[in-house]
């Protein structure tokens, strides 16, 4: 039974597609970037890698786009999110059962904390970690290592809950189990192929896995 539950944020605790998409479009428009693909592919990986990979940007343009994205996201995007149904109840039940809970997101920690507080679930978390605006932490495995360097709990009794292959890959790099959720931005086949131990199709199903 897992005693330390780590949660991804976007696509796992919250549906953040609207705020992220509008902020991406703002950044692309500001720098005349033409992109007609699926914006969902930018939810999960860090922009420092996804912009060059999906858009072919160089280092300077990648930096420009990230700054423009954050400019719009800070004004409005950070508030354009909704909790998935049942998440608050799940977190409360985990706490009541004695579990330790952490947030492990590649979204900047500054924005993540604003979201958790606005949704009134910040106090459910024993530790909150995300990427840092100075670039010192960017990837999922770096976020996870940061958590375990500050929290004295064994990997063997810990699990990451996430919705994309980037969560699975990050967990694998640090030797951590991962449970994939398919109500977010990833598919069951993707999650399983990247090492998820099992998947949950709903928050209700996830609650059963973690508590029963």
């Amino acid at each position: 039974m897992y005693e330390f539950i780590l949660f991804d944020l976007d696509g796992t605790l919250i549906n953040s597609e609207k705020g992220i998409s509008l902020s991406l479009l703002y950044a692309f428009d500001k720098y005349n970037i033409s992109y007609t693909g699926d914006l969902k592919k930018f939810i999960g990986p860090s922009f420092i890698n996804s912009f060059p990979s999906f858009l072919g940007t160089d280092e300077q343009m990648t930096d420009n786009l990230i700054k423009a994205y954050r400019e719009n996201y800070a004004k409005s995007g950070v508030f354009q999110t909704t909790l998935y149904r049942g998440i608050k109840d799940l977190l409360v039940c985990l706490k009541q059962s004695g579990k330790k809970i952490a947030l492990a997101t590649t979204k900047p920690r500054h924005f993540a904390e604003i979201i958790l507080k606005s949704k009134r679930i910040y106090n459910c978390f024993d530790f909150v970690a995300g990427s840092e605006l100075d670039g010192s932490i960017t990837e999922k495995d770096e976020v996870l290592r940061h958590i375990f360097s500050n929290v004295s709990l064994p990997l063997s009794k810990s699990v990451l809950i996430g919705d994309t292959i980037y969560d699975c890959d990050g967990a694998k790099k640090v030797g951590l189990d991962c449970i994939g959720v398919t109500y977010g931005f990833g598919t069951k086949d993707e999650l399983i192929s990247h090492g998820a131990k099992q998947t949950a199709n709903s928050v209700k199903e996830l609650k059963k896995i973690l508590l029963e």
Side-chain angles (χ1 to χ4, degrees), residues 32 102 142 162 170 187 196:
N32 298 312
E142 295 173 338
T187 67

Side-chain angles (χ1 to χ4, degrees), residues 8-197:
D8 173 51
L9 183 59
D10 299 310
T12 302
L13 297 178
I14 61 170
N15 185 338
S16 53
E17 183 177 355
K18 181 178 181 180
I20 291 175
S21 296
L22 291 176
S23 295
L24 284 169
L25 291 174
Y26 171 86
F28 295 169
D29 182 65
K30 183 173 182 176
Y31 287 98
N32 298 312
I33 298 292
S34 177
Y35 179 77
T36 58
D38 189 354
L39 293 173
K40 289 182 181 179
K41 69 194 303 182
F42 291 97
I43 304 176
S46 62
F47 292 149
I48 199 169
N49 291 321
S50 63
F51 286 163
S53 178
F54 302 145
L55 302 174
T57 56
D58 59 20
E59 185 175 350
Q60 183 60 59
M61 182 54 71
T62 296
D63 186 56
N64 289 341
L65 288 174
I66 290 174
K67 288 179 179 177
Y69 170 89
R70 289 175 177 171
E71 175 185 315
N72 189 79
Y73 194 78
K75 292 178 181 177
S76 58
V78 69
F79 302 110
Q80 294 170 316
T81 64
T82 57
L83 279 178
Y84 286 112
R85 185 185 299 273
I87 283 296
K88 189 169 185 177
D89 175 68
L90 170 61
L91 295 174
V92 170
C93 288
L94 289 173
K95 291 296 291 182
Q96 290 176 340
S97 68
K99 309 292 186 184
K100 297 294 184 182
I101 304 175
L103 186 77
T105 177
T106 52
K107 182 186 290 297
R109 178 173 53 84
H110 169 70
F111 292 137
E113 290 179 341
I114 291 174
I115 291 171
L116 295 183
K117 290 174 181 177
S118 71
K119 301 305 178 186
R120 300 182 180 180
I121 57 173
Y122 183 81
N123 290 336
C124 292
F125 292 85
D126 297 286
F127 197 86
V128 174
S131 64
E132 294 298 333
L133 295 174
D134 64 2
S136 59
I137 297 176
T138 59
E139 303 301 323
K140 180 67 74 169
D141 60 299
E142 295 173 338
V143 173
L144 294 172
R145 289 191 175 94
H146 174 65
I147 292 173
F148 283 97
S149 69
N150 285 276
V151 178
S152 299
L153 288 167
L155 284 167
S156 60
K157 292 188 177 182
S158 307
V159 64
L160 173 67
I161 314 300
D163 69 303
T164 69
I165 61 174
Y166 306 102
D167 298 307
C168 297
D169 291 345
K172 189 185 302 183
K173 287 180 181 180
V174 301
L176 179 68
D177 282 356
C178 183
I179 294 174
V181 296
T182 59
Y183 54 78
F185 301 108
T187 67
K188 181 175 182 177
D189 288 344
E190 288 175 341
L191 295 167
I192 293 298
S193 68
H194 280 257
K197 296 297 182 182

